[in-house]
Amino acid sequence: MWQAISHQLSEVLGRQFKINEREEIQGGDVNQCYCVSDGEQRFFIKLNDRNQLAVFETEAESLRILNEANCVQVPQHFHLGTCRDKSFLILNYLPTKTIDDDAGYKLGQQLAQLHLWGEQVEYGFDFDNYIGLTPQPNKWRRRWYKFFSEQRIEWQLQLCEEKGLHFGDIDTITANVAQRLSNHQPKPSLLHGDLWHGNTALTVSGPIIFDPATYWGDRECDVAMTELFGGFPASFYQGYQSVYPLDEGYQDRKDLYNLYHILNHCNLFGGEYMGQAQHIIAKLMLWEE
C-alpha cells in the first residue's frame, strides 16, 4: 500500500517521493490518518476501505469550493487515489494546536465572512456528499423549510428506522420541523456543515477548518453545531457577531438544527445519543408558532 502511495505521489509531484517517515495520527472517528515524509516534504493522508472512495471524492471537491471562497483556511488537496484494498486522500500537512482566544475571535470573523460570501439563491449543493460516513442528500430547494425538514431530519429519521431506532411517526415529526421553519427564509450561505471543535485547529498561518460536509444552507446550522459539543472559546462568537450578527430567533432554532447531528450520531455510533434526540423531538412536538 505505502509503495503504491509513494508511486502515485511521485507522479503528482513530478519527482521521486519515497516515504521514509510515517506517523499515525490519532483522533479520527472515521478514517485512519497518517503524516508521511520523504525528509523534504510532509503530507497528511486519510485512509479508508476502497469502497469509501466516493467519500473522499466529495471531500476533495468541498475543500476546493471552500478554498475558492478564500475566507477561512482549509487543507490543500494534492491527490485522491486507490490501491488494492484502500482509498486515500492526500492533503498538505500542517502542525496544529488547539484554538486559543485570539484565534477563536479570528475564526469567528472568518466564518462570518464565509457565510456572507457568494450569491446563491437556493439551498443544497451540486452533488450529494457525506456527513462522516453517512450519505447527505443535497437536492436544490428554493424554500429552506422544505430542504431542512426533508433532506436533513426526515432523511436521518429514515436511516434510524432502518437500524431499529424509533423516535415516533416520521411524517408527523417532519411536518412539525417544516412548520417551525415555515416563516424562516435566510440567505443561503456556504456552510462547513460539520463544524464541531474537533474539525478546527490553529496553525502557524492562523485558524484552519477541515473534514467538511459542505452545502448551501442557513448559516445558523454551522453556528449551532459549534455549541453542540462545546470547545469553542467565547471569543469565537464575539468575532462572528462583529462581522455578521445572528438573527433574532437563533436561540429558538439551534436545538432543531442540532437534532440533525444528534440523529447522525445515533446512526454512526449507536443509541447512546437516543436520549438527546428524544428530548429535542419531544420539545419540538410542543412548539407552537
Side-chain angles (χ1 to χ4, degrees):
M1 176 183 71
W2 294 110
Q3 185 175 359
I5 291 174
S6 293
H7 176 71
Q8 293 183 38
L9 196 47
S10 295
E11 290 188 338
V12 171
L13 296 173
R15 68 173 182 83
Q16 184 178 17
F17 185 93
K18 182 178 180 180
I19 297 174
N20 56 32
E21 296 177 28
R22 184 176 76 239
E23 177 185 0
E24 186 168 8
I25 298 173
Q26 303 298 324
D29 292 323
V30 174
N31 305 295
Q32 290 178 281
C33 299
Y34 292 86
C35 171
V36 302
S37 173
D38 67 345
E40 295 182 22
Q41 197 168 1
R42 288 188 291 178
F43 293 96
F44 184 80
I45 298 183
K46 302 174 74 169
L47 285 170
N48 212 309
D49 294 338
R50 189 182 176 97
N51 60 9
Q52 299 298 334
L53 178 63
V55 179
F56 290 148
E57 288 174 336
T58 60
E59 179 177 345
E61 182 63 11
S62 295
L63 289 172
R64 184 193 67 79
I65 294 169
L66 288 168
N67 188 62
E68 183 180 291
N70 197 31
C71 295
V72 57
Q73 182 180 197
V74 296
Q76 301 299 303
H77 162 229
F78 274 85
H79 182 59
L80 178 71
T82 60
C83 52
R84 181 188 302 175
D85 60 351
K86 295 289 185 181
S87 59
F88 52 89
L89 178 65
I90 302 179
L91 308 168
N92 65 320
Y93 176 82
L94 292 170
T96 60
K97 60 182 180 179
T98 303
I99 294 282
D100 58 22
D101 285 342
D102 289 343
Y105 189 88
K106 185 174 183 180
L107 179 59
Q109 290 183 313
Q110 292 174 341
L111 183 68
Q113 290 161 358
L114 175 67
H115 290 164
L116 284 166
W117 179 83
E119 298 181 359
Q120 180 57 245
V121 297
E122 295 188 346
Y123 308 97
F125 214 37
D126 284 338
F127 52 87
D128 295 340
N129 50 20
Y130 296 82
I131 178 99
L133 291 179
T134 306
Q136 179 171 266
N138 293 313
K139 186 174 181 180
W140 292 106
R141 288 286 184 265
R142 284 194 168 272
R143 297 291 297 176
W144 171 243
Y145 78 89
K146 286 189 67 66
F147 178 87
F148 187 80
S149 64
E150 294 172 3
Q151 297 190 67
R152 292 298 178 260
I153 302 304
E154 183 178 30
W155 170 253
Q156 287 286 346
L157 289 171
Q158 289 171 343
L159 294 177
C160 285
E161 284 281 336
E162 293 172 5
K163 294 186 176 182
L165 303 175
H166 307 290
F167 295 97
D169 183 73
I170 293 177
D171 290 341
T172 301
I173 297 171
T174 302
N176 272 265
V177 172
Q179 180 182 14
R180 182 62 189 160
L181 296 175
S182 60
N183 294 322
H184 185 57
Q185 183 72 358
K187 171 193 178 299
S189 294
L190 185 64
L191 306 183
H192 175 279
D194 194 10
L195 196 60
W196 70 293
H197 69 89
N199 287 341
T200 70
L202 176 59
T203 74
V204 292
S205 52
I208 189 169
I209 58 176
F210 42 88
D211 293 350
T214 305
Y215 64 99
W216 292 87
D218 184 355
R219 66 192 178 111
E220 292 178 357
C221 291
D222 267 355
V223 179
M225 193 180 186
T226 67
E227 297 192 56
L228 180 57
F229 301 117
F232 282 72
S235 60
F236 167 82
Y237 304 99
Q238 295 164 1
Y240 190 95
Q241 292 283 86
S242 73
V243 174
Y244 195 3
L246 289 166
D247 298 329
E248 184 178 353
Y250 163 72
Q251 293 297 329
D252 294 328
R253 289 184 289 268
K254 70 178 183 181
D255 283 349
L256 178 57
Y257 289 157
N258 282 338
L259 176 60
Y260 173 60
H261 298 290
I262 293 169
L263 289 172
N264 186 52
H265 275 62
C266 288
N267 278 306
L268 287 174
F269 307 119
E272 61 261 39
Y273 294 93
M274 286 280 291
Q276 283 181 272
Q278 288 168 335
H279 175 75
I280 295 175
I281 290 170
K283 191 166 97 170
L284 168 67
M285 305 307 277
L286 297 175
W287 275 337
E288 296 179 359
E289 287 295 324

